[in-house]
Amino acid sequence: MQAPPEEASSGCKLCGGRDSSRLFEKQGWTFKRCSSCGLVSLDPLPTAADIAAHHERSYRDGSYATFAAADAIRRGIACERLEHVRRIAADGPWLDVGCSTGAFVAAAAAQSIDAEGLELSSVAVEQARGQGLTVHRAAVEDFAPSRRYAVVTAFDVVEHLCDPLEFVRRVAGWLLPHGVLVVTVPNIESFAARLMSRHWFYYAPPDHVHYFTPGTLRRLLAAGGLSAVDVRPAYKPMTIGYATGQLEVLAPGLAPLVRAGTRFMPQRLRVRSWPLPLGELLAVARPAAAP
């Protein structure tokens, strides 16, 4: 997606505030911070149609295609997340929103969980269904589930959306009374974000539209009718080689430094999966009216 044309700023998608401060520019996009609630967003925001088109292209030949092809990495991340979610999940069906090619759905199904996925990309849905997984192709605003869920997960999804508050409100209505929503988002207060500043790889326009802190994430969930019961740092198990390869896509200026720093690392450590602190938050939330 090309950089946006000059146009008037819209109100904050979290609190509706009209005042904001400019933080920096990256790849032709302006990053702003809402003066009222602190949410960081692109200015102007891309449209939902622009995001959908970019998402589809990325699965065909962009950065998502690289991630989707890394089977071992995706399975490792899915299993790590599944272990966490199972500890807090009630009985009932699961839905993974933004399920990509279905790694998390497959990991859950392998443990006899009644799990299905929701994904926008036709390329990713085709691959997921090719594995025998139940995956619906639709945008969240167009999806009408036939049942309610004990668990809805949205990993690496909310930061991509034009209107994250409308997303939370809608998904909250899909939960059973004792259900949980589990999300991950980039955390601009993380050590990685503070250290790398505008070069942080999660500052990735137009893939990522909004950027959160623990406070703004809690506010988002509360405004959407949910009560956050846990907000904590999240880690992704990755090999050094894969993480460096992703840097070449997301932060190419940093990749040579990482390669130089790991040049003399033993091969057994290069291929080992490490829980990397990339700067993400994981939140668990329940319906506000739940006991």
Side-chain angles (χ1 to χ4, degrees):
M1 193 190 305
Q2 295 180 344
E6 293 293 330
E7 57 183 78
S9 299
S10 59
C12 174
K13 290 296 185 180
L14 178 53
C15 73
R18 305 292 300 185
D19 295 330
S20 62
S21 57
R22 179 185 176 279
L23 297 181
F24 55 83
E25 287 191 6
K26 187 173 183 180
Q27 299 173 12
W29 294 80
T30 299
F31 289 69
K32 67 174 184 179
R33 186 192 305 274
C34 175
S35 300
S36 298
C37 70
L39 180 69
V40 172
S41 308
L42 298 183
D43 181 33
L45 294 174
T47 67
D50 287 340
I51 291 174
H54 177 75
H55 190 70
E56 185 71 16
R57 286 194 303 271
S58 295
Y59 265 109
R60 294 187 184 279
D61 54 18
S63 59
Y64 297 165
T66 302
F67 177 72
D71 290 338
I73 298 296
R74 291 187 300 109
R75 286 196 301 269
I77 294 172
C79 289
E80 191 275 337
R81 288 171 169 170
L82 179 63
E83 181 180 350
H84 178 80
V85 176
R86 288 207 71 169
R87 291 197 294 266
I88 47 89
D91 291 336
W94 292 23
L95 175 69
D96 186 29
V97 179
C99 69
S100 184
T101 54
F104 185 78
V105 178
Q111 296 195 21
S112 300
I113 296 170
D114 180 8
E116 57 194 71
L118 179 65
E119 173 57 45
L120 188 58
S121 166
S122 61
V123 176
V125 169
E126 182 179 351
Q127 293 182 37
R129 290 176 177 172
Q131 304 171 61
L133 303 175
T134 300
V135 173
H136 311 278
R137 188 196 174 202
V140 169
E141 57 268 25
D142 299 323
F143 182 58
S146 60
R147 57 182 178 173
R148 298 172 77 183
Y149 300 97
V151 174
V152 174
T153 54
F155 300 120
D156 312 316
V157 169
V158 177
E159 64 269 26
H160 296 266
L161 305 175
C162 285
D163 195 336
L165 179 53
E166 179 58 30
F167 168 83
V168 173
R169 285 172 173 161
R170 187 167 180 83
V171 171
W174 300 349
L175 290 173
L176 291 166
H178 294 276
V180 294
L181 171 66
V182 185
V183 303
T184 57
V185 296
N187 175 18
I188 60 173
E189 290 185 347
S190 65
F191 175 76
R194 293 181 183 276
L195 177 66
M196 301 171 71
S197 187
R198 65 185 298 273
H199 302 291
W200 185 41
F201 32 78
Y202 281 128
Y203 285 135
D207 283 325
H208 297 165
V209 179
H210 300 287
Y211 302 83
F212 295 86
T213 66
T216 54
L217 182 55
R218 287 182 181 275
R219 181 166 182 164
L220 172 69
L221 294 169
L226 299 173
S227 177
V229 296
D230 188 21
V231 177
R232 66 174 65 185
Y235 304 91
K236 279 183 174 172
M238 294 182 178
T239 64
I240 297 298
Y242 176 81
T244 304
Q246 287 294 287
L247 277 180
E248 291 177 343
V249 176
L250 300 173
L254 296 175
L257 298 175
V258 175
R259 288 197 182 279
T262 60
R263 181 178 304 168
F264 302 105
M265 179 179 289
Q267 180 64 16
R268 61 184 177 81
L269 297 182
R270 288 173 180 265
V271 300
R272 177 180 171 181
S273 185
W274 301 87
L276 300 182
L278 303 180
E280 290 186 301
L281 288 171
L282 182 145
V284 177
R286 299 185 185 275

